[in-house]
Amino acid sequence: MRIMYLILNVLYSNSAKSKLYAFSRDDIMEILVADGEKWSERTIYNKIRELSKNKYILEGLPQGNSKTFYISQAGIDWMKEMEGEGEDEQK
């Protein structure tokens, strides 16, 4: 669940919100590594597939031979919901 949130956060915070401005799996992995997160390629691949299946991310225009992804409104809503759960627990 945390890795899914991190992937969505990478897309959201880097304004990957349209077909034209979308990130490849490698781009996402590079940003996660730069942020100090270490995940295997397989884990990232599986979580991107799951996020795509749930329509939290959508496919952008291809970048060479690579698929690209951007965050959907459903993904933004899910992120806000996850952020809100912590506030409920603190009350």
Side-chain angles (χ1 to χ4, degrees):
M1 196 71 100
R2 180 172 179 265
I3 182 63
M4 290 170 57
Y5 177 85
L6 291 171
I7 292 168
L8 290 174
N9 192 44
V10 163
L11 296 174
Y12 182 79
S13 62
N14 289 286
S15 299
K17 299 176 185 173
S18 72
K19 285 186 178 195
L20 291 174
Y21 196 74
F23 286 3
S24 69
R25 184 184 54 167
D26 290 341
D27 295 334
I28 293 168
M29 286 186 62
E30 283 178 26
I31 293 169
L32 288 172
V33 168
D35 288 344
E37 297 288 336
K38 283 193 129 186
W39 299 90
S40 71
E41 285 186 40
R42 190 69 184 169
T43 298
I44 300 294
Y45 173 81
N46 287 335
K47 295 305 176 186
I48 286 174
R49 280 185 51 202
E50 190 173 340
L51 288 166
S52 184
K53 182 178 129 190
N54 292 327
K55 304 284 189 225
Y56 294 152
I57 61 174
L58 302 172
E59 277 192 39
L61 298 175
Q63 182 179 16
N65 289 334
S66 299
K67 290 182 180 181
T68 62
F69 304 93
Y70 65 97
I71 190 168
S72 68
Q73 186 59 50
I76 293 169
D77 294 342
W78 184 80
M79 278 181 61
K80 289 180 180 178
E81 182 182 316
M82 290 295 109
E83 290 168 356
E85 285 184 11
E87 293 172 8
D88 293 342
E89 293 171 6
Q90 292 175 357
K91 290 183 181 178

